[in-house]
Amino acid sequence: MAQRAFNLPNMLTYVRILAVPLVVLCFFLEGHLKSSDFARWSALVIFLLASITDYFDGYLARAWQQTSNIGKMLDPIADKLLVATCLLLLAADTDRHAGIAGWSLWAAIIILCREILVSGLREYLAALKVSVPVTQLAKWKTTIQMIAIAFLLAGPAGDKIFPLTTQVGLVLLWIAALVTLYTGYDYFRAGLKHIMDE
């Protein structure tokens, strides 16, 4: 049990969870919520490293046949913690008028609501011993979401190098939100069949 819990794929998942408070800390380096250029680049580096572990933990678990129940449970939780934390930080950071604000908040709300609803559905179906596999489109949704957040974390700091950094991030965030709506509907349609059968 302990050996499975501390295999390399699971350790990478733990690293992703530990990255969450580190990203938050970057935005509070001055004792209050403020995103200096250094804070944004630091948060971006941590986020990118955490995102890379998302690919490798699943890949290694399958390649080395080290899949475990704790890994299956924590992997989606780690993803959701990282995404939700970054979206909330970007929405709260109004100091430089960059990132998620105004209408863009709806994209973030759609993404967060979908994650909560699908998690609830999965938990309910798990009690019925029903597994809902992750679709290829849902994987693309996650990829687009991560890229959007990376651009938005760079935000004003990135705009100094590539002037459209924030705008690209916002466009990708809306694309992710639209794909999120579709995949969320897809999951609920699949889940409702089992709920109705009950």
Side-chain angles (χ1 to χ4, degrees), residues 94-169:
T94 57
D95 187 46
R96 296 166 73 178
H97 306 289
I100 301 171
W103 284 101
S104 299
L105 280 171
W106 283 104
I109 289 168
I110 289 168
I111 290 169
L112 290 174
C113 287
R114 183 265 189 195
E115 298 297 355
I116 293 167
L117 290 169
V118 169
S119 294
L121 176 66
R122 282 182 176 278
E123 187 177 338
Y124 175 78
L125 292 175
L128 300 178
K129 301 290 191 289
V130 174
S131 174
V132 182
V134 177
T135 64
Q136 191 61 44
L137 187 58
K139 291 178 181 178
W140 275 107
K141 179 269 304 178
T142 301
T143 302
I144 297 168
Q145 204 169 263
M146 293 300 197
I147 296 171
I149 290 173
F151 271 92
L152 291 170
L153 282 173
D159 286 333
K160 293 176 181 177
I161 298 170
F162 175 60
L164 296 176
T165 298
T166 301
Q167 292 306 313
V168 169

Side-chain angles (χ1 to χ4, degrees), residues 14-198:
Y14 304 150
V15 166
R16 196 153 74 258
I17 293 172
L18 289 172
V20 173
L22 293 179
V23 170
V24 175
L25 186 62
C26 290
F27 277 71
F28 283 86
L29 287 175
E30 298 181 26
H32 60 281
L33 181 62
K34 186 172 183 181
S35 63
S36 63
D37 286 359
F38 176 76
R40 283 187 171 265
W41 288 124
S42 301
L44 176 61
V45 169
I46 294 168
F47 177 80
L48 289 175
L49 291 174
S51 298
I52 290 169
T53 68
D54 184 28
Y55 170 76
F56 281 107
D57 61 6
Y59 174 78
L60 293 176
R62 289 186 297 272
W64 295 350
Q65 296 182 339
Q66 291 185 347
T67 56
S68 62
N69 288 333
I70 191 168
K72 290 176 184 176
M73 178 190 74
L74 288 180
D75 183 60
I77 291 173
D79 294 342
K80 288 170 177 54
L81 283 174
L82 188 62
V83 167
T85 299
C86 289
L87 290 176
L88 289 171
L89 278 172
L90 290 165
D93 181 25
T94 57
D95 187 46
R96 296 166 73 178
H97 306 289
I100 301 171
W103 284 101
S104 299
L105 280 171
W106 283 104
I109 289 168
I110 289 168
I111 290 169
L112 290 174
C113 287
R114 183 265 189 195
E115 298 297 355
I116 293 167
L117 290 169
V118 169
S119 294
L121 176 66
R122 282 182 176 278
E123 187 177 338
Y124 175 78
L125 292 175
L128 300 178
K129 301 290 191 289
V130 174
S131 174
V132 182
V134 177
T135 64
Q136 191 61 44
L137 187 58
K139 291 178 181 178
W140 275 107
K141 179 269 304 178
T142 301
T143 302
I144 297 168
Q145 204 169 263
M146 293 300 197
I147 296 171
I149 290 173
F151 271 92
L152 291 170
L153 282 173
D159 286 333
K160 293 176 181 177
I161 298 170
F162 175 60
L164 296 176
T165 298
T166 301
Q167 292 306 313
V168 169
L170 291 173
V171 169
L172 289 173
L173 188 70
W174 273 108
I175 292 171
L178 293 173
V179 177
T180 288
L181 280 175
Y182 181 80
T183 57
Y185 166 75
D186 222 22
Y187 278 124
F188 270 94
R189 188 178 59 182
L192 279 172
K193 293 177 184 176
H194 300 287
I195 294 170
M196 298 302 286
D197 288 344
E198 266 307 284

